[in-house]
Amino acid sequence: EFATVLQMTLAAKGYATVIANSDEDADLQAKLVGSMIEHGVSALVVSPAYGDGGDAFDQIERAGIPAMQVLRKTDPRTGLFPFSSFDYAAGSARATRHLMNQGAQRIAFVGGLEGRAITEERKSGYLAEVKRAGAEPFSLHGRSSRGFGLDAVDQLPDDVDAAVCFNDLVALGMLSGFARIGRNLGQDFRLVGFDDIEDCAQVWPQLSSVACDIDGFARATADGLLAWMRDGVTPPPEHRAPVDLVARTSSTGRMP
C-alpha cells in the first residue's frame, strides 16, 4: 500500500517510479541500488533489509543522490539519509494503557523477531507502561505471522489475560487460536494488534489495533522527496508520524 500510494503521488508530479524487492537480502539490495544508480534515478526511497551484507548506502553517498530511509533504519547517518516512520513506541504504549483500563492484570507482548530494531521499538512503549504500573512483563518473540500467533496461544502463562501483538497477522493468528480452545476474546482475554489492516474490521470478533495512516505517510514521504529534489530542502533527520488506537470487540468486549 505504501509503495502504491508513493508511486501514484510521484506520478501525479511527472515522475516515473521503479519498485524493487530485495526479499530481506542485504547483498541483493546493494545490487539493486547499484543498478538503479547506473540507470540514472533521481532519488531513492529505501525500506532497508536487515543484515550486515551489502553497501547500498555507501553507493548512494558516492552517487550524491537524495535517499530516504522509511519504516526501518539501518544506516545511522540520518543527516545523509533521513529516516521517516511511525511513532511505534507511542502506539504500543497507548495499546497497553487501553488494556489496563479494560481491567487486564498481566499483559504480554507477542510477535516480532527478537533483537530487530522495529521489534524493540514496537515493544518499548509496552515495556514502559508495564514498568510504570509495577507489573511484570512477558514477551514471546517469533515470526510475524498468523501461524506464530496461532501457536503462541498455547505458550502464554496462565496469568496472562491480555496481549499487545507486534502486528495484526500475529493477532489474527491468536484470534483463531483462542476460538479453537473456546476462549472468548474481549472477556476472557483482551487482544490488540498493530497496523490496523483491512482484516481487523472484517473478522469476528473484530480486532482492536494500532492504526498507521499509510496513505498519508506515503504522500508526506513523496512531498518531502520532491522538495529535496526540486528545491534542495532536505527532510529532517528523523520524523515520526502519529498513530491511533482503534478499539474493537477483541479488547473491549463490546459489540460494534
Side-chain angles (χ1 to χ4, degrees), residues 20-30 32 46-50 72:
N21 181 9
S22 67
D23 196 27
E24 296 295 340
D25 185 326
D27 289 319
L28 177 57
Q29 174 182 265
L32 291 169
V46 185
S47 183
Y50 291 113
R72 296 173 171 182

Side-chain angles (χ1 to χ4, degrees), residues 124-167:
S124 63
Y126 154 81
L127 290 174
E129 291 301 319
V130 168
K131 181 179 180 180
R132 186 174 292 114
E136 183 181 359
F138 176 81
S139 299
L140 189 61
H141 292 292
R143 292 183 59 200
S144 306
S145 66
R146 290 182 188 237
F148 175 77
L150 182 69
D151 294 338
V153 167
D154 297 325
Q155 301 176 47
L156 294 173
D158 291 339
D159 62 341
V160 169
D161 59 355
V164 176
C165 291
F166 172 80
N167 68 3

Side-chain angles (χ1 to χ4, degrees), residues 82-220:
F83 172 63
S84 186
S85 187
F86 291 97
D87 195 344
Y88 293 135
S92 66
R94 186 168 178 181
T96 304
R97 289 195 301 271
H98 166 70
L99 290 170
M100 290 176 177
N101 291 337
Q102 296 300 312
Q105 297 300 304
R106 190 179 183 199
I107 304 169
F109 183 90
V110 182
L113 295 177
E114 190 170 11
R116 288 283 174 87
I118 191 169
T119 303
E120 298 308 311
E121 187 177 346
R122 288 193 172 195
K123 187 171 67 171
S124 63
Y126 154 81
L127 290 174
E129 291 301 319
V130 168
K131 181 179 180 180
R132 186 174 292 114
E136 183 181 359
F138 176 81
S139 299
L140 189 61
H141 292 292
R143 292 183 59 200
S144 306
S145 66
R146 290 182 188 237
F148 175 77
L150 182 69
D151 294 338
V153 167
D154 297 325
Q155 301 176 47
L156 294 173
D158 291 339
D159 62 341
V160 169
D161 59 355
V164 176
C165 291
F166 172 80
N167 68 3
D168 290 328
L169 294 181
V170 173
L172 289 166
M174 292 186 72
L175 185 148
S176 298
F178 284 121
R180 182 179 61 187
I181 63 175
R183 198 168 181 185
N184 293 322
L185 277 181
Q187 298 177 12
D188 302 331
F189 194 96
R190 300 182 187 276
L191 187 66
V192 178
F194 215 116
D195 294 325
D196 197 33
I197 64 175
E198 187 176 7
D199 289 15
C200 294
Q202 297 175 348
V203 295
W204 185 255
Q206 291 184 336
L207 179 64
S208 299
S209 186
V210 176
C212 303
D213 180 10
I214 294 292
D215 285 12
F217 178 76
R219 287 191 293 270

Side-chain angles (χ1 to χ4, degrees), residues 15-20 32-46 59-60 63-67 225 229:
Y15 288 87
T17 305
V18 178
I19 299 175
L32 291 169
V33 166
S35 177
M36 289 186 176
I37 292 172
E38 288 177 4
H39 283 82
V41 296
S42 301
L44 287 162
V45 176
V46 185
Q59 292 184 70
I60 297 169
I65 61 175
L225 193 63
M229 289 190 294

